Coordinates of all heavy atoms in Angstrom, one line a residue:
M208 N -4.2 10.4 -0.3 CA -4.2 9.0 0.3 C -4.9 9.0 1.6 O -5.8 8.2 1.9 CB -2.8 8.5 0.4 CG -2.8 7.1 0.9 SD -1.2 6.5 1.2 CE -0.8 5.6 -0.2
S209 N -4.6 10.0 2.4 CA -5.3 10.1 3.7 C -6.8 10.2 3.6 O -7.5 9.6 4.4 CB -4.7 11.4 4.4 OG -5.3 11.5 5.7
K210 N -7.3 11.0 2.6 CA -8.7 11.2 2.5 C -9.3 9.8 2.1 O -10.4 9.5 2.6 CB -9.0 12.2 1.4 CG -10.5 12.5 1.2 CD -10.7 13.6 0.2 CE -12.2 13.8 0.1 NZ -12.5 14.9 -0.9
G211 N -8.7 9.1 1.2 CA -9.2 7.8 0.8 C -9.2 6.8 2.0 O -10.2 6.0 2.1
I212 N -8.2 6.8 2.8 CA -8.2 5.9 4.0 C -9.3 6.3 5.0 O -10.0 5.4 5.5 CB -6.8 6.0 4.7 CG1 -5.8 5.3 3.8 CG2 -6.8 5.4 6.1 CD1 -4.3 5.5 4.2
H213 N -9.5 7.6 5.2 CA -10.5 8.0 6.1 C -11.9 7.7 5.5 O -12.8 7.4 6.3 CB -10.4 9.5 6.4 CG -9.2 9.8 7.4 ND1 -9.3 9.5 8.7 CD2 -8.0 10.2 7.1 CE1 -8.2 9.8 9.3 NE2 -7.4 10.2 8.3
N214 N -12.1 7.8 4.2 CA -13.4 7.4 3.6 C -13.6 5.9 3.8 O -14.8 5.5 4.1 CB -13.3 7.7 2.1 CG -13.5 9.2 1.8 OD1 -13.9 10.0 2.6 ND2 -13.2 9.6 0.6
L215 N -12.6 5.1 3.7 CA -12.8 3.7 3.9 C -13.1 3.4 5.4 O -14.0 2.5 5.7 CB -11.6 2.9 3.5 CG -11.3 2.8 2.0 CD1 -9.9 2.2 1.7 CD2 -12.4 2.0 1.3
A216 N -12.5 4.2 6.3 CA -12.9 4.0 7.7 C -14.3 4.4 8.0 O -15.0 3.8 8.7 CB -11.9 4.9 8.5
E217 N -14.7 5.5 7.3 CA -16.1 6.0 7.5 C -17.1 5.0 7.0 O -18.2 4.8 7.5 CB -16.3 7.4 6.8 CG -15.7 8.5 7.5 CD -15.8 9.8 6.8 OE1 -16.6 9.9 5.9 OE2 -15.0 10.7 7.1
L218 N -16.8 4.3 5.9 CA -17.6 3.2 5.4 C -17.6 1.9 6.2 O -18.4 1.0 6.0 CB -17.2 2.9 4.0 CG -17.4 4.0 2.9 CD1 -16.8 3.6 1.6 CD2 -18.9 4.2 2.7
G219 N -16.7 1.9 7.2 CA -16.6 0.7 8.1 C -15.7 -0.4 7.6 O -15.8 -1.5 8.1
Y220 N -14.9 -0.1 6.6 CA -14.0 -1.1 6.0 C -12.6 -1.2 6.7 O -12.0 -2.2 6.7 CB -13.8 -0.9 4.5 CG -15.1 -1.0 3.7 CD1 -15.3 -0.2 2.6 CD2 -16.0 -2.0 4.0 CE1 -16.4 -0.4 1.8 CE2 -17.1 -2.2 3.2 CZ -17.3 -1.4 2.1 OH -18.5 -1.5 1.3
L221 N -12.2 0.0 7.3 CA -10.9 0.0 7.9 C -11.0 0.6 9.4 O -11.9 1.3 9.7 CB -10.0 1.1 7.2 CG -9.3 0.6 5.9 CD1 -8.5 1.8 5.4 CD2 -8.5 -0.6 6.1
E222 N -10.1 0.1 10.2 CA -9.9 0.6 11.5 C -8.6 1.3 11.6 O -7.5 0.7 11.2 CB -10.0 -0.6 12.5 CG -10.5 -0.2 13.8 CD -10.7 -1.5 14.6 OE1 -9.7 -2.1 15.1 OE2 -11.9 -2.0 14.7
I223 N -8.5 2.5 12.1 CA -7.3 3.3 12.1 C -6.9 3.4 13.6 O -7.7 3.8 14.4 CB -7.5 4.7 11.5 CG1 -7.9 4.6 10.0 CG2 -6.2 5.5 11.6 CD1 -8.3 5.9 9.4
S224 N -5.6 3.2 13.9 CA -5.1 3.4 15.2 C -3.8 4.0 15.2 O -3.1 4.0 14.2 CB -5.0 2.0 16.0 OG -4.1 1.1 15.3
S225 N -3.4 4.6 16.3 CA -2.1 5.3 16.4 C -1.1 4.5 17.1 O -1.4 3.7 18.0 CB -2.3 6.6 17.1 OG -3.1 7.5 16.5
A226 N 0.2 4.7 16.8 CA 1.3 4.0 17.5 C 1.4 4.6 18.8 O 1.2 5.7 19.1 CB 2.6 4.1 16.7
D227 N 1.8 3.8 19.8 CA 2.0 4.2 21.2 C 3.1 5.2 21.4 O 3.0 6.2 22.0 CB 2.2 3.0 22.1 CG 1.1 2.1 22.2 OD1 -0.1 2.6 22.1 OD2 1.2 0.9 22.5
Q228 N 4.2 5.0 20.6 CA 5.4 5.9 20.8 C 5.2 7.2 20.0 O 5.8 8.2 20.4 CB 6.7 5.1 20.3 CG 6.9 3.8 21.0 CD 6.3 2.7 20.3 OE1 5.4 2.8 19.4 NE2 6.5 1.4 20.9
D229 N 4.6 7.1 18.9 CA 4.5 8.3 18.0 C 3.1 8.4 17.5 O 2.7 7.6 16.6 CB 5.5 8.2 16.9 CG 5.6 9.5 16.1 OD1 4.7 10.3 16.2 OD2 6.6 9.6 15.3
K230 N 2.3 9.3 17.9 CA 0.8 9.4 17.5 C 0.7 9.8 16.1 O -0.4 9.7 15.5 CB 0.2 10.4 18.4 CG 0.1 10.0 19.9 CD -0.6 8.7 20.1 CE -0.7 8.3 21.6 NZ -1.1 7.0 21.8
R231 N 1.8 10.3 15.4 CA 1.7 10.6 14.0 C 1.7 9.4 13.2 O 1.2 9.4 12.0 CB 2.9 11.5 13.6 CG 2.9 12.8 14.3 CD 4.2 13.6 14.0 NE 5.3 12.8 14.6 CZ 6.6 13.0 14.3 NH1 7.0 14.1 13.6 NH2 7.5 12.3 14.9
V232 N 2.2 8.3 13.7 CA 2.2 7.0 13.0 C 0.9 6.3 13.1 O 0.3 6.1 14.2 CB 3.3 6.0 13.5 CG1 3.3 4.7 12.9 CG2 4.7 6.7 13.4
K233 N 0.3 6.0 12.0 CA -1.0 5.4 12.0 C -1.0 4.0 11.4 O -0.2 3.7 10.5 CB -2.0 6.2 11.1 CG -2.1 7.7 11.5 CD -2.8 7.8 12.9 CE -2.9 9.3 13.1 NZ -3.2 9.6 14.5
Y234 N -1.8 3.1 12.0 CA -1.9 1.7 11.5 C -3.3 1.5 11.0 O -4.3 2.0 11.7 CB -1.6 0.7 12.6 CG -0.2 0.8 13.2 CD1 0.0 1.4 14.5 CD2 0.8 0.3 12.5 CE1 1.3 1.5 14.9 CE2 2.1 0.4 13.0 CZ 2.3 1.0 14.2 OH 3.6 1.0 14.7
C235 N -3.5 0.9 9.9 CA -4.8 0.5 9.4 C -5.0 -1.0 9.3 O -4.0 -1.7 8.9 CB -4.9 1.1 7.9 SG -4.8 2.9 7.9
S236 N -6.2 -1.4 9.6 CA -6.5 -2.8 9.5 C -7.9 -3.0 9.0 O -8.7 -2.1 9.3 CB -6.3 -3.6 10.9 OG -7.1 -3.0 11.9
L237 N -8.1 -4.0 8.3 CA -9.5 -4.3 7.7 C -10.4 -4.7 8.8 O -10.0 -5.5 9.7 CB -9.4 -5.4 6.7 CG -8.8 -5.0 5.3 CD1 -8.6 -6.3 4.5 CD2 -9.5 -4.0 4.6
T238 N -11.6 -4.2 8.8 CA -12.7 -4.7 9.7 C -13.2 -6.0 9.0 O -12.9 -6.3 7.9 CB -13.8 -3.7 9.8 OG1 -14.3 -3.4 8.5 CG2 -13.2 -2.3 10.4
E239 N -14.2 -6.6 9.8 CA -14.8 -7.8 9.2 C -15.5 -7.4 7.8 O -15.4 -8.2 6.9 CB -15.8 -8.4 10.1 CG -15.2 -9.1 11.3 CD -14.3 -10.3 10.9 OE1 -14.8 -11.0 10.0 OE2 -13.3 -10.5 11.4
S240 N -16.2 -6.3 7.8 CA -16.9 -5.9 6.5 C -15.9 -5.5 5.4 O -16.1 -5.8 4.3 CB -17.9 -4.8 6.8 OG -17.2 -3.6 7.3
G241 N -14.7 -5.0 5.9 CA -13.7 -4.6 4.9 C -13.1 -5.9 4.3 O -12.8 -6.0 3.1
L242 N -12.9 -6.9 5.2 CA -12.3 -8.2 4.7 C -13.3 -8.8 3.7 O -12.9 -9.4 2.7 CB -12.0 -9.1 5.9 CG -11.3 -10.3 5.6 CD1 -10.0 -10.1 4.9 CD2 -11.0 -11.1 6.9
A243 N -14.6 -8.8 4.1 CA -15.6 -9.4 3.2 C -15.7 -8.7 1.9 O -15.7 -9.3 0.8 CB -17.0 -9.3 3.9
Y244 N -15.6 -7.3 1.9 CA -15.5 -6.6 0.6 C -14.3 -6.9 -0.2 O -14.4 -7.1 -1.4 CB -15.5 -5.1 1.0 CG -15.6 -4.2 -0.3 CD1 -16.7 -4.0 -1.0 CD2 -14.4 -3.5 -0.7 CE1 -16.8 -3.2 -2.1 CE2 -14.4 -2.7 -1.8 CZ -15.6 -2.6 -2.5 OH -15.6 -1.8 -3.6
A245 N -13.1 -7.0 0.4 CA -11.9 -7.3 -0.3 C -12.0 -8.7 -0.9 O -11.6 -8.9 -2.0 CB -10.7 -7.3 0.7
R246 N -12.6 -9.7 -0.2 CA -12.7 -11.0 -0.7 C -13.7 -11.0 -1.9 O -13.5 -11.7 -2.9 CB -13.2 -12.0 0.4 CG -12.1 -12.3 1.3 CD -12.6 -13.3 2.3 NE -11.4 -13.7 3.2 CZ -11.6 -13.9 4.5 NH1 -12.7 -13.8 5.1 NH2 -10.5 -14.2 5.2
E247 N -14.7 -10.2 -1.8 CA -15.7 -10.1 -2.9 C -15.1 -9.5 -4.2 O -15.3 -10.0 -5.3 CB -16.8 -9.1 -2.4 CG -17.9 -8.8 -3.5 CD -18.9 -7.8 -3.0 OE1 -19.3 -7.9 -1.8 OE2 -19.2 -6.9 -3.7
K248 N -14.1 -8.6 -4.0 CA -13.5 -7.9 -5.2 C -12.3 -8.7 -5.7 O -11.8 -8.3 -6.8 CB -13.1 -6.5 -4.8 CG -14.3 -5.6 -4.5 CD -15.2 -5.5 -5.7 CE -16.4 -4.7 -5.5 NZ -17.3 -4.6 -6.7
E249 N -11.7 -9.6 -4.9 CA -10.5 -10.2 -5.2 C -10.4 -10.9 -6.6 O -9.5 -10.7 -7.3 CB -10.2 -11.3 -4.1 CG -8.9 -12.0 -4.3 CD -8.6 -13.0 -3.2 OE1 -9.6 -13.6 -2.7 OE2 -7.5 -13.1 -2.8
G250 N -11.5 -11.6 -6.9 CA -11.5 -12.3 -8.2 C -11.5 -11.3 -9.4 O -10.8 -11.5 -10.3
E251 N -12.3 -10.2 -9.2 CA -12.4 -9.2 -10.3 C -10.9 -8.5 -10.5 O -10.5 -8.3 -11.6 CB -13.3 -8.1 -9.8 CG -13.7 -7.1 -10.9 CD -14.7 -6.1 -10.4 OE1 -15.6 -6.5 -9.5 OE2 -14.7 -4.9 -10.8
I252 N -10.3 -8.2 -9.4 CA -9.0 -7.6 -9.4 C -7.9 -8.5 -10.0 O -7.1 -8.1 -10.9 CB -8.5 -7.1 -8.0 CG1 -9.4 -5.9 -7.6 CG2 -7.1 -6.6 -8.0 CD1 -9.3 -5.5 -6.2
L253 N -8.0 -9.8 -9.7 CA -7.0 -10.8 -10.2 C -7.3 -10.9 -11.7 O -6.3 -11.1 -12.5 CB -7.2 -12.1 -9.5 CG -6.6 -12.1 -8.0 CD1 -7.0 -13.4 -7.4 CD2 -5.2 -11.8 -8.0
A254 N -8.5 -10.9 -12.1 CA -8.8 -11.0 -13.6 C -8.2 -9.8 -14.3 O -7.7 -10.0 -15.4 CB -10.3 -11.1 -13.8
I255 N -8.3 -8.6 -13.8 CA -7.7 -7.4 -14.4 C -6.2 -7.5 -14.4 O -5.6 -7.3 -15.5 CB -8.2 -6.2 -13.6 CG1 -9.7 -5.9 -13.9 CG2 -7.4 -5.0 -14.1 CD1 -10.2 -4.9 -12.9
E256 N -5.6 -8.0 -13.3 CA -4.2 -8.2 -13.3 C -3.7 -9.2 -14.4 O -2.7 -9.0 -15.1 CB -3.7 -8.7 -11.9 CG -3.6 -7.6 -10.9 CD -3.0 -8.0 -9.6 OE1 -3.0 -9.2 -9.3 OE2 -2.6 -7.1 -8.8
K257 N -4.5 -10.2 -14.6 CA -4.1 -11.3 -15.6 C -4.2 -10.7 -17.0 O -3.3 -11.0 -17.8 CB -5.1 -12.5 -15.4 CG -4.7 -13.6 -16.4 CD -5.6 -14.8 -16.2 CE -5.2 -15.9 -17.2 NZ -4.5 -15.6 -18.4
K258 N -5.2 -9.8 -17.2 CA -5.2 -9.2 -18.5 C -4.0 -8.4 -18.8 O -3.4 -8.4 -19.9 CB -6.4 -8.3 -18.6 CG -7.7 -9.0 -18.9 CD -8.8 -8.0 -19.1 CE -10.2 -8.7 -19.4 NZ -11.3 -7.7 -19.6
V259 N -3.6 -7.6 -17.8 CA -2.4 -6.7 -17.9 C -1.1 -7.6 -18.1 O -0.3 -7.3 -19.0 CB -2.2 -5.8 -16.7 CG1 -0.9 -5.1 -16.7 CG2 -3.4 -4.8 -16.6
I260 N -1.0 -8.7 -17.4 CA 0.2 -9.6 -17.5 C 0.2 -10.2 -18.9 O 1.2 -10.3 -19.5 CB 0.2 -10.6 -16.4 CG1 0.5 -10.0 -15.0 CG2 1.2 -11.8 -16.7 CD1 0.2 -10.9 -13.9
D261 N -1.0 -10.6 -19.4 CA -1.1 -11.2 -20.7 C -0.7 -10.2 -21.8 O 0.0 -10.6 -22.8 CB -2.5 -11.7 -21.0 CG -2.9 -12.9 -20.2 OD1 -1.9 -13.6 -19.6 OD2 -4.1 -13.2 -20.1
K262 N -1.0 -8.9 -21.6 CA -0.6 -7.9 -22.6 C 0.9 -7.6 -22.5 O 1.5 -7.4 -23.5 CB -1.5 -6.7 -22.4 CG -2.9 -6.8 -22.8 CD -3.7 -5.5 -22.6 CE -5.1 -5.8 -23.0 NZ -6.0 -4.5 -22.8
L263 N 1.4 -7.5 -21.3 CA 2.8 -7.2 -21.1 C 3.7 -8.4 -21.4 O 4.9 -8.2 -21.9 CB 3.1 -6.7 -19.7 CG 2.9 -5.3 -19.3 CD1 3.2 -5.1 -17.8 CD2 3.8 -4.4 -20.1
G264 N 3.2 -9.5 -21.1 CA 4.0 -10.7 -21.1 C 4.6 -11.0 -19.7 O 4.8 -10.0 -18.9
F265 N 4.7 -12.2 -19.3 CA 5.0 -12.6 -17.9 C 6.4 -12.0 -17.5 O 6.5 -11.4 -16.4 CB 5.0 -14.1 -17.7 CG 5.4 -14.5 -16.3 CD1 4.4 -14.4 -15.3 CD2 6.7 -14.8 -16.0 CE1 4.7 -14.7 -14.0 CE2 7.0 -15.1 -14.6 CZ 6.1 -15.1 -13.7
D266 N 7.4 -12.1 -18.4 CA 8.7 -11.6 -18.0 C 8.8 -10.1 -17.8 O 9.4 -9.7 -16.8 CB 9.7 -12.0 -19.1 CG 10.0 -13.5 -19.1 OD1 9.7 -14.2 -18.1 OD2 10.5 -14.0 -20.2
R267 N 8.1 -9.4 -18.6 CA 8.1 -7.9 -18.5 C 7.2 -7.5 -17.3 O 7.6 -6.5 -16.6 CB 7.5 -7.2 -19.7 CG 8.5 -7.3 -20.9 CD 8.0 -6.7 -22.2 NE 7.8 -5.3 -22.0 CZ 6.9 -4.5 -22.6 NH1 6.1 -5.1 -23.5 NH2 6.8 -3.2 -22.4
A268 N 6.2 -8.2 -17.0 CA 5.4 -7.9 -15.8 C 6.2 -8.2 -14.5 O 6.1 -7.4 -13.6 CB 4.1 -8.7 -15.8
A269 N 6.9 -9.3 -14.5 CA 7.8 -9.6 -13.4 C 8.8 -8.6 -13.2 O 9.1 -8.2 -12.1 CB 8.4 -11.0 -13.6
L270 N 9.5 -8.2 -14.3 CA 10.5 -7.1 -14.2 C 9.9 -5.8 -13.7 O 10.5 -5.1 -12.8 CB 11.1 -6.9 -15.6 CG 12.2 -5.9 -15.7 CD1 13.4 -6.2 -14.8 CD2 12.7 -5.7 -17.1
A271 N 8.7 -5.5 -14.1 CA 8.0 -4.2 -13.6 C 7.8 -4.3 -12.1 O 8.1 -3.4 -11.4 CB 6.7 -4.0 -14.3
C272 N 7.4 -5.5 -11.6 CA 7.2 -5.7 -10.2 C 8.5 -5.6 -9.4 O 8.6 -4.9 -8.3 CB 6.5 -7.0 -9.9 SG 4.8 -7.1 -10.4
Q273 N 9.6 -6.1 -10.0 CA 10.9 -6.1 -9.4 C 11.4 -4.6 -9.3 O 11.9 -4.2 -8.3 CB 11.9 -6.9 -10.1 CG 13.3 -6.9 -9.6 CD 14.3 -7.7 -10.4 OE1 13.9 -8.3 -11.4 NE2 15.5 -7.6 -10.1
I274 N 11.2 -3.9 -10.4 CA 11.6 -2.5 -10.4 C 10.8 -1.7 -9.4 O 11.4 -0.8 -8.7 CB 11.6 -1.9 -11.8 CG1 12.6 -2.6 -12.7 CG2 11.7 -0.4 -11.8 CD1 12.5 -2.3 -14.2
L275 N 9.5 -1.9 -9.3 CA 8.7 -1.1 -8.4 C 9.1 -1.4 -6.9 O 9.1 -0.5 -6.1 CB 7.2 -1.4 -8.6 CG 6.6 -0.8 -9.9 CD1 5.2 -1.2 -10.1 CD2 6.6 0.8 -9.8
A276 N 9.4 -2.7 -6.6 CA 9.8 -3.1 -5.3 C 11.1 -2.4 -5.0 O 11.3 -1.8 -3.8 CB 10.0 -4.6 -5.2
E277 N 12.1 -2.4 -5.9 CA 13.4 -1.7 -5.7 C 13.2 -0.2 -5.5 O 13.8 0.4 -4.6 CB 14.3 -2.0 -6.8 CG 14.9 -3.4 -6.9 CD 15.7 -3.6 -8.1 OE1 16.3 -2.7 -8.6 OE2 15.8 -4.8 -8.5
W278 N 12.3 0.4 -6.3 CA 12.0 1.8 -6.2 C 11.5 2.1 -4.8 O 11.9 3.1 -4.2 CB 10.9 2.2 -7.3 CG 10.5 3.6 -7.2 CD1 9.5 4.1 -6.4 CD2 11.0 4.7 -8.0 NE1 9.4 5.4 -6.6 CE2 10.2 5.8 -7.7 CE3 11.8 4.8 -9.0 CZ2 10.4 7.1 -8.2 CZ3 12.0 6.0 -9.7 CH2 11.3 7.1 -9.2
S279 N 10.5 1.4 -4.4 CA 9.9 1.6 -3.0 C 11.0 1.5 -1.9 O 11.0 2.3 -1.0 CB 8.8 0.6 -2.9 OG 8.2 0.8 -1.6
D280 N 11.8 0.5 -2.0 CA 12.9 0.3 -1.0 C 13.8 1.4 -1.0 O 14.2 1.9 0.1 CB 13.6 -1.1 -1.3 CG 14.6 -1.4 -0.3 OD1 14.2 -1.4 0.9 OD2 15.7 -1.7 -0.6
L281 N 14.3 1.8 -2.2 CA 15.3 2.9 -2.3 C 14.6 4.2 -1.8 O 15.3 5.0 -1.1 CB 15.8 3.1 -3.7 CG 16.7 2.0 -4.2 CD1 17.0 2.1 -5.7 CD2 18.0 2.0 -3.4
L282 N 13.4 4.5 -2.2 CA 12.7 5.7 -1.7 C 12.5 5.7 -0.2 O 12.8 6.7 0.4 CB 11.3 5.8 -2.4 CG 10.6 7.0 -2.3 CD1 11.3 8.2 -2.8 CD2 9.2 6.9 -3.0
S283 N 12.2 4.6 0.4 CA 12.0 4.5 1.9 C 13.4 4.8 2.5 O 13.4 5.5 3.5 CB 11.5 3.1 2.2 OG 10.3 2.9 1.7
K284 N 14.5 4.2 2.0 CA 15.8 4.5 2.6 C 16.2 5.9 2.5 O 16.7 6.5 3.4 CB 16.8 3.6 1.9 CG 16.7 2.1 2.3 CD 17.7 1.3 1.6 CE 17.5 -0.2 1.9 NZ 18.4 -1.1 1.2
E285 N 15.9 6.5 1.4 CA 16.2 8.0 1.2 C 15.4 8.9 2.1 O 15.9 9.8 2.7 CB 16.1 8.4 -0.3 CG 17.1 7.8 -1.2 CD 18.5 8.2 -0.9 OE1 18.8 9.4 -0.5 OE2 19.4 7.4 -1.0
I286 N 14.2 8.5 2.3 CA 13.3 9.3 3.3 C 13.9 9.1 4.7 O 13.9 10.1 5.4 CB 11.9 8.9 3.1 CG1 11.3 9.4 1.8 CG2 11.0 9.4 4.3 CD1 9.9 8.8 1.4
A287 N 14.2 7.9 5.0 CA 14.8 7.7 6.4 C 16.1 8.5 6.5 O 16.3 9.0 7.6 CB 15.0 6.2 6.6
N288 N 16.9 8.5 5.5 CA 18.2 9.2 5.6 C 17.9 10.7 5.8 O 18.6 11.4 6.5 CB 19.0 9.0 4.3 CG 19.6 7.7 4.2 OD1 19.7 7.0 5.2 ND2 20.0 7.3 3.0
L289 N 16.9 11.2 5.0 CA 16.6 12.6 5.2 C 16.1 13.0 6.6 O 16.5 14.0 7.2 CB 15.5 13.0 4.1 CG 15.1 14.5 4.1 CD1 16.3 15.3 3.7 CD2 14.0 14.6 3.1
K290 N 15.3 12.1 7.2 CA 14.8 12.3 8.5 C 15.9 12.3 9.5 O 16.0 13.1 10.4 CB 13.8 11.2 8.9 CG 12.4 11.3 8.2 CD 11.5 10.3 8.7 CE 10.1 10.4 8.0 NZ 9.2 9.3 8.4
E291 N 16.9 11.3 9.3 CA 18.1 11.3 10.2 C 18.9 12.6 10.1 O 19.3 13.1 11.1 CB 19.0 10.1 9.8 CG 18.5 8.8 10.3 CD 19.4 7.7 9.9 OE1 20.7 7.9 9.8 OE2 19.0 6.6 9.8
K292 N 19.1 13.1 8.9 CA 19.9 14.4 8.7 C 19.2 15.5 9.4 O 19.8 16.4 10.0 CB 20.1 14.7 7.3 CG 21.1 13.7 6.6 CD 21.2 14.0 5.2 CE 22.1 13.1 4.5 NZ 22.2 13.3 3.0
K293 N 17.8 15.6 9.3 CA 17.1 16.7 10.0 C 17.1 16.6 11.5 O 17.0 17.6 12.1 CB 15.6 16.7 9.4 CG 15.5 17.2 8.0 CD 14.0 17.3 7.6 CE 13.9 17.8 6.2 NZ 12.5 18.0 5.9
Q294 N 17.3 15.4 12.0 CA 17.3 15.3 13.5 C 18.6 15.6 14.1 O 18.7 15.8 15.2 CB 16.9 13.8 13.8 CG 15.5 13.5 13.6 CD 15.1 12.0 13.9 OE1 16.0 11.2 14.1 NE2 13.9 11.7 13.8
K295 N 19.7 15.7 13.3 CA 21.0 16.0 13.8 C 21.2 17.5 13.9 O 20.7 18.3 13.6 CB 22.1 15.4 12.8 CG 22.1 13.9 12.8 CD 23.1 13.4 11.9 CE 23.1 11.8 12.0 NZ 24.1 11.3 11.1

């Protein structure tokens, strides 16, 4: 993931900055050219998403999104718990 982010930065699509408190924490934001590129690709990506939703059906696609959101939330909490335990 890091390599992909750095590639996008080298192409001028992303700007990477560090957090003041912890230099290991990085923030990414789209540059003007990155925003233009994203807007250019938005329609194509939405069309692909629509095809997938049509194949899965709206209810199953919504359930998949819900499960992925829960997965991400639980994973983040477990990682935070692990970090807390290591700091003690």
Side-chain angles (χ1 to χ4, degrees):
M208 183 186 260
S209 179
K210 183 177 180 180
I212 289 172
H213 286 285
N214 285 343
L215 291 171
E217 288 174 17
L218 292 170
Y220 294 143
L221 280 181
E222 207 170 79
I223 303 171
S224 59
S225 298
D227 292 334
Q228 301 87 355
D229 186 346
K230 298 298 180 192
R231 296 172 297 173
V232 175
K233 304 294 183 193
Y234 298 106
C235 297
S236 57
L237 289 172
T238 62
E239 287 297 320
S240 60
L242 189 56
Y244 181 77
R246 285 184 177 141
E247 176 186 315
K248 297 296 180 184
E249 182 178 36
E251 186 178 332
I252 293 168
L253 290 174
I255 292 169
E256 282 186 339
K257 185 176 179 338
K258 281 184 181 180
V259 171
I260 291 169
D261 289 346
K262 288 180 181 181
L263 275 178
F265 180 82
D266 290 341
R267 289 179 65 209
L270 181 59
C272 289
Q273 179 185 354
I274 290 169
L275 286 173
E277 289 177 28
W278 176 279
S279 178
D280 185 49
L281 289 170
L282 189 60
S283 295
K284 287 178 182 176
E285 290 300 322
I286 290 170
N288 288 341
L289 184 62
K290 287 180 181 179
E291 283 181 29
K292 288 178 184 176
K293 286 185 177 183
Q294 290 176 351
K295 291 181 180 180

